[in-house]
Amino acid sequence: MGRNCKKYLTKLEKHHLRGDYIKVEELWKKFGYLRRLHNLVRYIRLTQRREEFAGRVMGEDLCAFDGLELIQNNSIRWNSLFHTITRALNVRERLELFSARHVPAKGSQGITNFELDGQHWFELEKIELALKDFYAATLLSEGRKTSLADWFSTLDCLLREISETKDHYYDIHTEDDNNFTWTYLQSCADAAWSKCAEYYSNQQLNWQNRFPEDTDLPPEYYAGQILDPYRKWAWFRQEWVISNDEEKHRWFKSAQLAVKQLWKTEYKGRYPVEITPPSDPAFDRQREHKRIRIDAPVSAADLYEQYISTD
């Protein structure tokens, strides 16, 4: 029901309590298969009587056994639409059975305006498949075991998958330009790409004025991954440099310059290298006595270059 969901649901409940089914039907307008699914789940869960009837039709014992109750999506919980679609696909036969046996109240059209047919289920399967990558990215980015080092690779994977999805639906739409389904799915893929591109081009802390190098992100995003000793620049070489793409090669070089500039302006020489104090003087005296002492000048090597040299 869009951004005014609470407002419409309040009106819906008021009209339902009054028994004004004409007003109820006006609010339950059909609007695409996602809206149909939302309305169908909401219709079943709206009253206890309908939910009990749905339980009898869909098999109470079976629902209690596998716990596959309907899930209502909302606008404040991430992946809620994905969970709603996934659950609906899992209990598709039960929903179809409910739709076939349900008898609406007098003066009501029931689920006529939002009943799901075979084409709707086909489109829901395609959307669920596309949303699964976002679901995986969300779960892998949660908790304390992830950091800024995972940001770039996570978003890069999403952009790659969306790009392949866009190309796939574009090719199908070209072959079958009379089918609105492919046009709609292509538009969904375009919208997903735009949303990811919006996150990708996030401009923070006026970074372009601080780092005029030709990079499309603040260098902190690259540095976060490079400071992971397991990755350093290896992941960027693997995913961006191996391919014979001149644009990516230029991007890689400019990103390296940006990270080095970040090191020089924000970190180099600002913080002393801490030496771990001896844990046990007796053991340290033994080690010191056996050590060959060589007078050598203090190393003037750049710590960042030393770190990257083992990449």
Side-chain angles (χ1 to χ4, degrees), residues 238-256:
Q238 170 185 293
E239 298 295 331
W240 286 73
V241 180
I242 291 180
S243 60
N244 295 322
D245 190 325
E246 290 298 328
E247 182 179 355
K248 288 185 176 181
H249 277 268
R250 289 194 299 270
W251 171 90
F252 180 71
K253 292 180 180 179
S254 63
Q256 286 182 308

Side-chain angles (χ1 to χ4, degrees), residues 140-169:
L140 293 176
S141 300
E142 290 179 342
R144 298 181 179 179
K145 295 183 179 181
T146 185
S147 66
L148 189 61
D150 299 308
W151 185 91
F152 190 93
S153 56
T154 299
L155 198 54
D156 184 67
C157 181
L158 283 177
L159 288 170
R160 183 191 64 187
E161 294 300 319
I162 296 172
S163 178
E164 293 178 357
T165 302
K166 286 176 58 180
D167 294 340
H168 173 67
Y169 288 137

Side-chain angles (χ1 to χ4, degrees), residues 161-221:
E161 294 300 319
I162 296 172
S163 178
E164 293 178 357
T165 302
K166 286 176 58 180
D167 294 340
H168 173 67
Y169 288 137
Y170 178 81
D171 293 339
I172 296 178
H173 175 60
T174 302
E175 298 172 1
D176 185 11
D177 58 356
N178 293 323
N179 193 330
F180 176 75
T181 298
W182 306 122
T183 304
Y184 180 78
L185 291 174
Q186 185 181 355
S187 300
C188 291
D190 290 336
W193 175 273
S194 299
K195 177 57 67 174
C196 282
E198 180 182 334
Y199 281 105
Y200 182 85
S201 59
N202 186 21
Q203 299 182 5
Q204 301 176 4
L205 303 178
N206 197 23
W207 66 272
Q208 286 181 323
N209 292 332
R210 298 171 59 202
F211 305 99
E213 284 78 11
D214 185 20
T215 57
D216 50 356
L217 278 175
E220 287 82 359
Y221 285 94

Side-chain angles (χ1 to χ4, degrees), residues 37-86:
L37 176 61
H38 174 90
N39 290 348
L40 178 60
V41 174
R42 180 64 184 173
Y43 181 86
I44 294 175
R45 293 167 57 96
L46 184 62
T47 65
Q48 183 178 359
R49 184 177 179 181
R50 286 180 192 160
E51 201 161 10
E52 290 175 352
F53 174 76
R56 291 194 300 271
V57 173
M58 297 165 64
E60 291 179 345
D61 295 338
L62 184 58
C63 292
F65 172 74
D66 57 25
L68 297 180
E69 297 182 359
L70 295 176
I71 298 176
Q72 182 71 68
N73 66 296
N74 56 66
S75 60
I76 61 174
R77 185 174 179 82
W78 288 3
N79 297 312
S80 68
L81 184 59
F82 171 77
H83 288 301
T84 298
I85 297 174
T86 301

